[in-house]
Amino acid sequence: MTEDEAPGEDDAENLVAGGFASLPIIGVAAGEGGESSSGASNSKKDPRTIARGYQLELCKKALEENIIVYMGTGCGKTHIAVLLMYELGHLIKKPQKNICVFLAPTVALVQQQARVIEESTDFKVGTYSGNSRRLRSHQDWEKEFAQYEVFVMTPQILLRSLNHCFIRMELISLLIFDECHHAQVRSNHPYAEIMKVFYDSSLTKLPRIFGMTASPVVGKGASDQENLPRSINSLENLLHAKVYSVENQVELERFVASPKINVYCFHPDINMISSICKKLEEIKSQCVLSLRRKDEDHRTLLSTKKLLLRMHDKLIFSMENLGLWGALQACHILLSGDFAERNELMEAEGSASDDRLCDKYLDQSTCVLASECMKDGIGSDISSVEVLKEPYFSRKLLRLIGILSTFSDLHQLDIKNAFLHGDLQEKVYMEQPFGFVAQGEIGKITKEGNLFEDLERYKRLVEKLNYLTVTCLDIAYSARRQPNMKCIIFVNRIVTARSLAYILQNLKFLSNWKCDFLVGVHSGLRSMSRKTMNIILDKFRSNE
């Protein structure tokens, strides 16, 4: 649920669906020597049979010159790269000594793209990432050259191999950059270093360059359209390539579903949690004051104070964004981990601090938040919650729960119009969801017993919610969950990801949603290994 890329993103879009008629074969010669694609004709697997028209056109262009394909996520950029490999097979296939190098910025992408190439072509594919300790000499790499035709690797591996002359640029017939937007002139990214240092345009033999990106702008200002021309120029200059996209948008829309974007606005009510914030502030101040009476060294005291302030900031952030339940769960998470893991959760340094004082702050904060959550009949266990309202759940979280509940199996919820984010003065009768139709009430929409003249306007007034009131008793019903429904929620803090995952997993209103969280393997959490990430991703793909 963090920024880690999930499956189905651009780097996985290459699993193009089949079922299309065989398309015309590209007969364009490769740049070197004008030879025909003899390697392609002898191949058993033919990626052209499932290629889309615009993919074939862009592949044709890539055979003529270095290009950068600029298309959105899910448009099939990687399949264009596969088509290009296929068409240049006569340069790569054994007994030729030239190779194709496919660069991907992460280990996960290396493994994923290698699988796609193996499934789509007959090339012998080798993967290289991490330290590659087994490849420390020219002899080691010579064995790889003798065995493989396509080398899928992280850019650090290629940069190091070029530096040590294990791989020479003139041996690479095709050099592919996945997520090539990292290759900016002013960047020190390995992509940029490879092109600046080793791609000498004065050489007589250079690889064909093929770049792929869904966003040419990287870093701050990525969403600023004013930065787009400058970033495109930087990419073109560094990669010695031209940027191309799909001209026929009508054809693109035939294959790529355009997302429907809904923007939900909310304004957190700080006044509802101000008294609780004051209590937590008092606990924090008492803990900070107690540091002055300690005899520990200055560095430890400073580190402890810094960690306390960060913990307090995380709890307030969780309360404002998730509500009291979110802040309470954040306390439980921070108390459950060991010292090192807690520092990682707080994105703090691993220097020594007073762990007991941190526990004291969290214990007292937990008592305050748990006491608040038990008010108004709210139980101490979130799975027993019957009423969803502020400040126990923030407006943003209520909005999210409302959206998810529209795709859940039918449940009767006593929510007192909490999902409507404001009290309606009139009684509302709306269309019943599938599977729950009260006799005589179908399609009835009234206000205090009088039929509204403008029914569409009234529907918009309550934001066209699908799980709307069907009786006068403030009872709502959610619709049945659609088959194979999936949801990805991005957050910007590890604690938020873990707290939100726990809340969504344990609310009985959302019992048909199976929820887990993902954070990067470099987050420092012991529980989040690459193996664990792959297990979670496999369950996500298989609807578990």
Side-chain angles (χ1 to χ4, degrees), residues 314-363:
K314 293 290 184 184
L315 294 189
I316 299 299
F317 180 87
S318 297
M319 189 158 33
E320 291 176 353
N321 286 271
L322 299 178
L324 296 182
W325 278 109
L328 178 60
Q329 184 57 28
C331 282
H332 291 321
I333 291 171
L334 293 172
L335 278 170
S336 62
D338 64 12
F339 175 73
E341 184 168 359
R342 179 188 297 175
N343 276 359
E344 293 293 346
L345 283 170
M346 305 306 300
E347 293 101 27
E349 294 86 355
S351 54
S353 60
D354 190 341
D355 207 28
R356 292 170 298 177
L357 190 60
C358 295
D359 286 341
K360 179 181 178 181
Y361 169 78
L362 291 173
D363 284 332

Side-chain angles (χ1 to χ4, degrees), residues 153-164:
M153 60 179 66
T154 55
Q156 294 88 344
I157 297 291
L158 179 60
L159 183 59
R160 186 170 68 243
S161 299
L162 289 169
N163 277 320
H164 291 282

Side-chain angles (χ1 to χ4, degrees), residues 85-123:
M85 288 182 210
Y86 181 86
E87 291 295 331
L88 295 179
H90 62 289
L91 301 176
I92 303 169
K93 281 281 189 180
K94 302 299 180 190
Q96 298 293 334
K97 294 184 178 181
N98 296 327
I99 61 172
C100 167
V101 174
F102 190 118
L103 298 179
T106 66
V107 175
L109 282 179
V110 165
Q111 297 170 348
Q112 182 174 297
Q113 300 291 47
R115 286 196 301 269
V116 171
I117 296 169
E118 287 178 324
E119 292 168 0
S120 305
T121 68
D122 293 319
F123 290 117

Side-chain angles (χ1 to χ4, degrees), residues 382-543:
I382 194 172
S383 63
S384 64
V385 171
E386 296 287 347
V387 179
L388 304 181
K389 62 181 181 180
E390 294 183 270
Y392 309 104
F393 300 88
S394 68
R395 291 185 182 180
K396 178 162 64 171
L397 182 53
L398 285 173
R399 172 70 72 185
L400 175 61
I401 294 172
I403 293 171
L404 291 175
S405 68
T406 64
F407 301 102
S408 299
D409 283 337
L410 196 64
H411 286 288
Q412 184 171 332
L413 313 178
D414 180 8
I415 59 169
K416 299 183 179 179
N417 286 330
F419 288 153
L420 302 181
H421 308 285
D423 295 331
L424 294 177
Q425 300 301 317
E426 53 273 353
K427 297 176 182 177
V428 183
Y429 296 77
M430 296 298 288
E431 181 179 356
Q432 293 92 327
F434 176 79
F436 188 92
V437 178
Q439 293 295 326
E441 298 293 332
I442 300 176
K444 186 179 291 185
I445 302 177
T446 65
K447 175 184 179 182
E448 297 293 4
N450 298 321
L451 190 66
F452 246 120
E453 294 182 358
D454 188 353
L455 300 183
E456 291 300 319
R457 179 174 177 274
Y458 195 68
K459 287 181 180 179
R460 290 195 299 271
L461 187 64
V462 291
E463 302 177 21
K464 297 182 181 179
L465 297 175
N466 294 326
Y467 48 80
L468 294 167
T469 312
V470 293
T471 72
C472 299
L473 304 175
D474 292 326
I475 302 297
Y477 293 82
S478 61
R480 295 182 184 276
R481 186 167 72 91
Q482 297 180 12
N484 301 324
M485 180 61 62
K486 293 182 174 68
C487 175
I488 299 176
I489 304 169
F490 291 98
V491 300
N492 57 5
R493 301 197 182 189
I494 298 175
V495 173
T496 306
R498 297 186 66 176
S499 300
L500 181 59
Y502 177 85
I503 291 172
L504 298 181
Q505 183 64 49
N506 288 277
L507 280 175
K508 64 180 181 181
F509 310 135
L510 304 175
S511 59
N512 288 284
W513 284 99
K514 305 304 179 184
C515 186
D516 211 329
F517 72 93
L518 280 175
V519 298
V521 292
H522 300 298
S523 64
L525 296 185
R526 294 178 303 166
S527 58
M528 192 52 62
S529 63
R530 192 173 300 282
K531 180 179 179 181
T532 302
M533 286 184 62
N534 289 333
I535 291 173
I536 295 173
L537 289 173
D538 288 340
K539 288 183 177 180
F540 182 80
R541 295 188 186 101
S542 61
N543 298 315

Side-chain angles (χ1 to χ4, degrees), residues 358-378:
C358 295
D359 286 341
K360 179 181 178 181
Y361 169 78
L362 291 173
D363 284 332
Q364 294 182 8
S365 298
T366 299
C367 291
V368 170
L369 293 168
S371 176
E372 293 291 335
C373 286
M374 294 182 67
K375 290 183 178 180
D376 294 336
I378 303 292

